[in-house]
Amino acid sequence: MSLALTIGILLAAGVYLVLQRGMIRIILGFVLLTHAVNLLIIAAGGVARRDAPFFGGDTSNAADALPQAFVLTAIVIAFSITVVMATFAVVGRRDDDTEPDSATPADLGDDHEGVTR
């Protein structure tokens, strides 16, 4: 029950952060989403209900190593995508319109060039 609650909280926080306007928030939301998916894959593998995969002769109750391999692969892929997204956030910090401009029309005053009344 606590694992399902943890997955739900991570998923909700990740979706909330991905829907925000800042690129750093989007990256953190992506990280939370990947953690939630990794926990879900491990929980679906049934590790808590089974024995060690390479313990003894009877393999009918052995844990399946495939979900663990999927999670290990997903961790590597998520880390590389996070690094690429962080690089894009640093390099293109002036190219996107996700953050509001620092100068508002009230800061500019009444004398605008090219404004006709």
Side-chain angles (χ1 to χ4, degrees):
M1 178 66 177
S2 64
L3 184 61
L5 187 64
T6 304
I7 292 170
I9 289 171
L10 284 174
L11 189 66
V15 168
Y16 176 76
L17 286 174
V18 165
L19 294 176
Q20 296 297 312
R21 286 186 60 132
M23 189 65 179
I24 299 298
R25 290 185 182 116
I26 293 171
I27 293 170
L28 290 176
F30 175 75
V31 168
L32 290 179
L33 284 174
T34 58
H35 286 318
V37 169
N38 289 341
L39 283 176
L40 183 66
I41 292 171
I42 287 292
V47 176
R49 297 184 301 253
R50 298 183 181 244
D51 291 335
F54 302 113
F55 183 65
D58 186 22
T59 60
S60 64
N61 200 23
D64 188 14
L66 189 62
Q68 297 170 11
F70 281 155
V71 168
L72 187 61
T73 305
I75 288 170
V76 171
I77 292 170
F79 180 72
S80 62
I81 291 174
T82 303
V83 168
V84 168
M85 288 173 61
T87 303
F88 287 159
V90 170
V91 170
R93 80 182 102 162
R94 295 285 180 197
D95 285 342
D96 63 354
D97 60 349
T98 59
E99 295 294 331
D101 292 334
S102 61
T104 61
D107 294 337
L108 297 175
D110 291 331
D111 295 324
H112 291 44
E113 291 182 345
V115 175
T116 59
R117 294 183 191 209

